[in-house]
Amino acid sequence: MRALTWQGKRDVRVDTVPDPVIRDADDVIVRITTTGLCGSDLHLYEVLGAFLDPGDILGHEPMGVVEYVGPEVTALKPGDRVVIPFNVSCGSCFMCDQGLQSQCETTQVREHGTGASLFGYTKLYGQVPGGQAQYLRVPFGNSLPIPVPDGPPDDRFVYLSDVLPTAWQAVAYASVPPGGSVAVLGLGPIGDMSCRIAAHRGAGTVIGIDLVPERLDRARRRGVHALDLKECGDDLPDAVRSLTGGRGPDAVIDAVGLEAHGSRVAAAAQGLTTLLPDALAAAMMKRAGVDRLAALHTAIDLVRRGGTVSVSGVYGGAADPLPLLTMFDKQLRLRMGQANVRRWVDDILPLLTDEDPLGVDDFATHRMPLEQAPDAYAMFQKKQDGAVKVLFSP
């Protein structure tokens, strides 16, 4: 089959690799019909190479059609249409029963002290082959895949793999009161969808902050108060407070993460690790790694006293400094973590099977053959051509 493989920093290639096979009795093999390019894939493209091997298959936002099922699979049959969550979760352990599929005790990567395995996402999360490929082996076939109806195009459902539950959790964790206010830092796929979901769930004021004109315009068309970070500069806190009664928003969602703009020292440290041998770079990142924290610090500054900061952007630093004096003094709540995809499916799926209140049908800005994935990664990282969401057709 053809699959997108990691080969080095800013070097991904579509190669011919062996087809996946059923290994366990509850496996299924899915023929991928659509698969997404995620902002967190860019962290692999740029800074997390120490935890990858050449040839690793990337991608964690796939959907498709079941081709083969293991002998113990009773919930699915060949021909069924499914979306695959990015968490590899068993559905029956203590953590899964708590709705914490991203902490699944069956697939936790204990070697690295991390949570549940993820499709297509480094040794830290199981080094499981990903979904930017023609076929994907999916374990836990009776509980992990999400069956979806035939009929609507893939665009209606593919975001159940990551974008929708990640944004839904970000808003749920933000605890925005009815009619309240929320600011969203970063208007990439997760930030954009977080704005839509916050408005759908009853937020009265939704503020989006970015520095890419196309992303700002896209948010404004959905009724978001979109602020250009380049125009606001140091006046951003005043601009946000002017929209929120002078005190700041009830909640701020950080949808940016570890590669935020405006963190030059941390950016230099991240760049240094990519020049080291993998073993040394991995040890350094696990013990003394730092993230670019400009977005998180901005969130802490903007949110009102007694408010909530919800973090959906990926962070990976082991030695990140936080302004605890400010956080304590402002009496902030901080919630974060990988999205628990299965936890939110029942809330989201009804919004996809009737009308389209979240605008998923035209959410993608680019649809490309998988063979063009290397160009898409470069375009998306450079924020060129208005790229917000890219979908591949294997």
Side-chain angles (χ1 to χ4, degrees), residues 22 26-30 66 68-70 73 76 136-139 141 145:
I22 288 176
D26 63 349
D27 285 351
V28 300
I29 304 296
V30 176
V66 175
Y68 305 101
V69 301
V73 175
L76 295 172
L136 178 68
R137 169 185 169 266
V138 181

Side-chain angles (χ1 to χ4, degrees), residues 351-371:
L351 303 178
L352 307 178
T353 53
D354 187 8
E355 297 181 359
D356 183 22
L358 301 178
V360 297
D361 284 347
D362 59 359
F363 189 71
T365 54
H366 294 72
R367 295 168 180 83
M368 304 170 70
L370 183 65
E371 296 292 333

Side-chain angles (χ1 to χ4, degrees), residues 26 172 272 283 304 337:
D26 63 349
L272 175 63
R304 69 163 171 83

Side-chain angles (χ1 to χ4, degrees), residues 29-114:
I29 304 296
V30 176
R31 175 175 55 84
I32 304 303
T33 54
T34 300
T35 185
L37 171 56
C38 180
S40 60
D41 288 328
L42 296 183
H43 303 322
L44 310 183
Y45 189 66
E46 183 70 23
V47 300
L48 295 178
F51 301 104
L52 291 159
D53 290 327
D56 282 352
I57 300 174
L58 304 184
H60 57 268
E61 297 186 351
M63 70 171 293
V65 177
V66 175
E67 289 283 296
Y68 305 101
V69 301
E72 294 182 4
V73 175
T74 58
L76 295 172
K77 64 183 185 303
D80 285 347
R81 191 183 191 195
V82 293
V83 176
I84 309 304
F86 74 91
N87 319 118
V88 184
S89 58
C90 71
S92 59
C93 69
F94 173 83
M95 288 296 176
C96 288
D97 286 345
Q98 308 305 306
L100 294 169
Q101 290 87 1
S102 67
Q103 309 302 323
C104 174
E105 291 180 324
T106 303
T107 72
Q108 282 178 14
V109 186
R110 291 176 173 82
E111 176 187 356
H112 295 289
T114 51

Side-chain angles (χ1 to χ4, degrees), residues 8 10 30 32 55 70 77 85 89 104-105 114 169 171 181 190 194 218 223 240 242 301-302 312 371 374 382 384:
R10 300 180 200 154
V30 176
I32 304 303
K77 64 183 185 303
S89 58
C104 174
E105 291 180 324
T114 51
Q169 179 171 296
V171 175
S181 55
I190 302 304
S194 294
R218 176 178 160 109
V240 171
S242 72
D301 182 27
L302 295 181
S312 61
E371 296 292 333
K382 296 173 184 175
Q384 295 174 334

Side-chain angles (χ1 to χ4, degrees), residues 269-280:
Q270 288 177 350
L272 175 63
T273 63
T274 67
L275 303 176
L276 299 173
D278 282 354
L280 183 57

Side-chain angles (χ1 to χ4, degrees), residues 159-390:
Y159 305 115
L160 274 173
S161 59
D162 183 349
V163 173
L164 281 166
T166 297
W168 194 278
Q169 179 171 296
V171 175
Y173 280 9
S175 301
V176 184
S181 55
V182 59
V184 179
L185 300 177
L187 294 174
I190 302 304
D192 186 329
M193 186 56 72
S194 294
C195 290
R196 301 180 187 205
I197 290 170
H200 174 78
R201 288 171 57 108
T205 302
V206 180
I207 303 164
I209 300 164
D210 205 293
L211 42 68
V212 180
E214 295 90 344
R215 297 184 178 193
L216 293 163
D217 290 342
R218 176 178 160 109
R220 290 187 184 110
R221 291 195 294 271
R222 300 284 304 193
V224 174
H225 296 276
L227 300 179
D228 188 335
L229 183 59
K230 289 185 292 187
E231 291 183 1
C232 292
D234 293 339
D235 295 329
L236 178 65
D238 291 336
V240 171
R241 290 179 185 122
S242 72
L243 296 170
T244 55
R247 67 173 58 93
D250 298 303
V252 177
I253 295 171
D254 173 1
V256 179
L258 65 89
E259 292 188 76
H261 291 270
S263 304
R264 295 180 180 177
V265 174
Q270 288 177 350
L272 175 63
T273 63
T274 67
L275 303 176
L276 299 173
D278 282 354
L280 183 57
M284 178 179 173
M285 293 173 72
K286 289 178 71 174
R287 292 175 175 81
V290 293
D291 293 312
R292 306 184 203 175
L293 295 174
L296 184 55
H297 285 193
T298 299
I300 292 166
D301 182 27
L302 295 181
V303 71
R304 69 163 171 83
R305 292 179 178 273
T308 301
V309 173
S310 172
V311 181
S312 61
V314 174
Y315 285 96
D320 287 335
L322 290 176
L324 288 174
L325 185 152
T326 299
M327 296 165 68
F328 183 85
D329 178 66
K330 292 183 72 171
Q331 200 168 331
L332 303 186
R333 289 169 291 184
L334 181 63
R335 295 205 68 182
M336 65 182 74
Q338 296 280 8
N340 305 296
V341 174
R342 269 295 192 172
R343 163 67 179 83
W344 308 110
V345 167
D346 290 345
D347 295 312
I348 300 169
L349 195 53
L351 303 178
L352 307 178
T353 53
D354 187 8
E355 297 181 359
D356 183 22
L358 301 178
V360 297
D361 284 347
D362 59 359
F363 189 71
T365 54
H366 294 72
R367 295 168 180 83
M368 304 170 70
L370 183 65
E371 296 292 333
Q372 295 179 16
D375 293 335
Y377 268 72
M379 174 187 67
F380 189 35
Q381 187 192 45
K382 296 173 184 175
K383 299 179 175 66
Q384 295 174 334
D385 196 29
V388 177
K389 190 62 188 177
V390 180

